[in-house]
């Protein structure tokens, strides 16, 4: 985790934290609704807003620094317990030769179904969704749910910041005075407006992907993926219905044997 922090992503994470807290500071230093509540002694909204911002930062670092679901190397596998190894072996069906794991052409590891090699991370990731440059990490099987939770909290923070920054804009007799008095607030308004749109789009996209049990990579490149290119355009072998998909996405932890689900679907269609 510490090694990840000091790679190239350190600059991105630093910029994110600086922009977050500078924007928050601007909102509290100007005559916004948050500042007015603070001056009246009503601390509920200011404390709640600060807590949401702090939670968004903590979730950002959680998603950014955690293991997204890297495929274990031979040395890592040997270091795991015997029980874990036996469990992983049982999860891979042995009687379907067409679903045997293939070896990655980059890191030469055995790839389970739905895994993909990330050229940025230089490792294979289970249930690969995409590599996010803003967190400088992949979104995969282990951190996808946390990524979605981060988007939810981040949207609340930026949309609230958008409303607060607009509430602090004051009128002035001339354009020059107006820009002078509201310059920082306009910057905060523009920043939160852009992030509100981006985060809302990402949030809607990933809620949809979770509800149908697919990933960004599978959605965009299904014609090139071995286990999907023979399926119909609207067929998803991993789709178990919206409720089950969302339950599995949010509540199921650990490694999933996607080969078994795929076989169950194909056998059911025979």
């Amino acid at each position: 985790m510490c090694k990840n922090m000091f790679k190239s992503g350190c600059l991105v994470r630093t910029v994110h934290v600086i922009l977050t807290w500078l924007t928050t500071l601007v909102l509290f230093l100007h005559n916004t609704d948050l500042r007015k509540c603070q001056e009246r002694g009503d601390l509920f909204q200011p404390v709640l807003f600060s807590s949401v911002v702090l939670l968004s930062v903590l979730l950002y670092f959680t998603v950014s620094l955690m293991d997204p679901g890297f495929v274990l190397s031979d040395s890592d596998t040997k270091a795991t317990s015997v029980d874990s190894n036996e469990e992983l072996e049982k999860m891979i069906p042995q009687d379907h030769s067409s679903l045997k794991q293939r070896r990655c052409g980059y890191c030469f590891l055995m790839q389970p179904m739905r895994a993909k090699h990330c050229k940025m991370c230089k490792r294979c990731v289970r249930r690969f969704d995409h590599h996010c440059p803003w967190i400088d990490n992949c979104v995969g099987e282990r951190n996808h749910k946390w990524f979605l939770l981060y988007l939810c909290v981040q949207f609340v923070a930026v949309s609230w910041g958008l409303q607060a920054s607009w509430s602090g804009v004051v009128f002035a007799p001339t354009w020059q005075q107006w820009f002078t008095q509201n310059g920082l607030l306009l910057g905060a308004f523009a920043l939160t407006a852009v992030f509100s749109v981006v985060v809302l789009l990402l949030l809607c996209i990933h809620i949809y992907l979770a509800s149908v049990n697919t990933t960004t990579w599978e959605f965009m490149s299904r014609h090139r993926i071995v286990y999907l290119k023979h399926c119909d355009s609207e067929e998803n072998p991993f789709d178990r219905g919206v409720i089950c998909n969302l339950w599995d996405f949010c509540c199921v932890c650990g490694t999933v044997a996607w080969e078994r689900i795929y076989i169950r679907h194909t056998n059911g269609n025979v």
Side-chain angles (χ1 to χ4, degrees):
M1 183 178 293
C2 294
K3 291 181 179 179
N4 290 338
M5 185 179 297
F6 294 101
K7 291 182 180 179
S8 59
C10 182
L11 177 61
V12 176
R13 298 180 186 109
T14 302
V15 171
H16 177 87
V17 173
I18 291 176
L19 287 178
T20 298
W21 291 113
L22 276 181
T23 303
T24 304
L25 184 63
V26 168
L27 296 178
F28 278 100
L29 291 179
H30 288 75
N31 194 32
T32 62
D33 289 345
L34 294 172
R35 178 66 180 272
K36 292 175 184 177
C37 289
Q38 186 179 7
E39 291 176 346
R40 292 197 305 265
D42 182 9
L43 300 180
F44 177 75
Q45 288 193 34
V47 171
L48 181 60
F49 177 76
S50 301
S51 300
V52 171
V53 173
L54 178 60
L55 179 60
S56 72
V57 173
L58 293 177
L59 284 172
Y60 171 81
F61 278 100
T62 298
V63 176
S64 178
L65 298 176
M66 75 180 298
D67 178 0
F70 292 128
V71 177
L72 296 178
S73 64
D74 295 337
S75 58
D76 292 331
T77 304
K78 291 178 181 178
T80 58
S81 64
V82 176
D83 293 338
S84 298
N85 288 334
E86 291 179 352
E87 182 181 358
L88 289 173
E89 289 177 1
K90 291 178 181 178
M91 289 168 59
I92 302 174
Q94 302 297 325
D95 55 344
H96 288 76
S97 58
S98 60
L99 293 178
K100 285 185 177 180
Q101 292 177 311
R102 67 184 184 90
R103 193 169 291 277
C104 175
Y106 294 95
C107 60
F108 305 107
L109 295 177
M110 298 302 293
Q111 280 188 342
M113 183 172 283
R114 308 190 82 180
K116 183 182 181 296
H117 185 87
C118 175
K119 295 182 180 179
M120 300 296 294
C121 295
K122 298 180 180 179
R123 296 187 66 176
C124 288
V125 181
R126 291 180 177 274
R127 197 183 177 275
F128 176 84
D129 187 87
H130 72 288
H131 182 91
C132 180
W134 187 243
I135 65 174
D136 191 50
N137 196 10
C138 284
V139 177
E141 189 169 69
R142 290 193 61 189
N143 67 345
H144 200 169
K145 68 184 70 175
W146 296 105
F147 181 74
L148 184 58
L149 178 60
Y150 161 69
L151 291 178
C152 292
V153 176
Q154 186 68 41
F155 178 69
V156 173
V158 294
S159 57
W160 195 346
L162 178 66
Q163 182 276 328
S165 59
W166 182 252
S167 69
V169 175
V170 296
F171 294 98
T174 64
W175 282 103
Q176 184 177 3
Q177 292 180 353
W178 187 76
F179 276 112
T180 301
Q181 294 178 11
N182 300 301
L184 291 176
L185 274 177
L186 291 176
F189 179 83
L191 186 65
T192 52
V194 171
F195 273 93
S196 295
V197 174
V198 173
V199 173
L200 179 60
L201 287 175
L202 286 174
L203 182 59
C204 293
I205 290 171
H206 283 276
I207 289 177
Y208 168 76
L209 293 175
S211 67
V212 297
N213 199 349
T214 190
T215 64
T216 303
W217 173 55
E218 291 173 341
F219 184 81
M220 300 296 294
S221 306
R222 64 177 294 135
H223 61 285
R224 295 190 289 109
I225 301 175
V226 175
Y227 56 85
L228 291 179
K229 65 181 181 180
H230 300 299
C231 300
D232 295 335
S233 58
E234 297 183 358
E235 181 184 1
N236 179 10
F238 309 108
D239 188 3
R240 301 176 55 228
V242 175
I243 296 178
C244 290
N245 290 336
L246 291 177
W247 173 267
D248 292 343
F249 181 86
C250 298
C251 302
V252 174
C253 300
T255 304
V256 178
W258 297 110
E259 293 86 350
R260 286 185 175 179
I261 298 175
Y262 184 88
I263 292 170
R264 192 179 302 122
H265 172 83
T266 53
N267 289 343
N269 291 337
V270 174

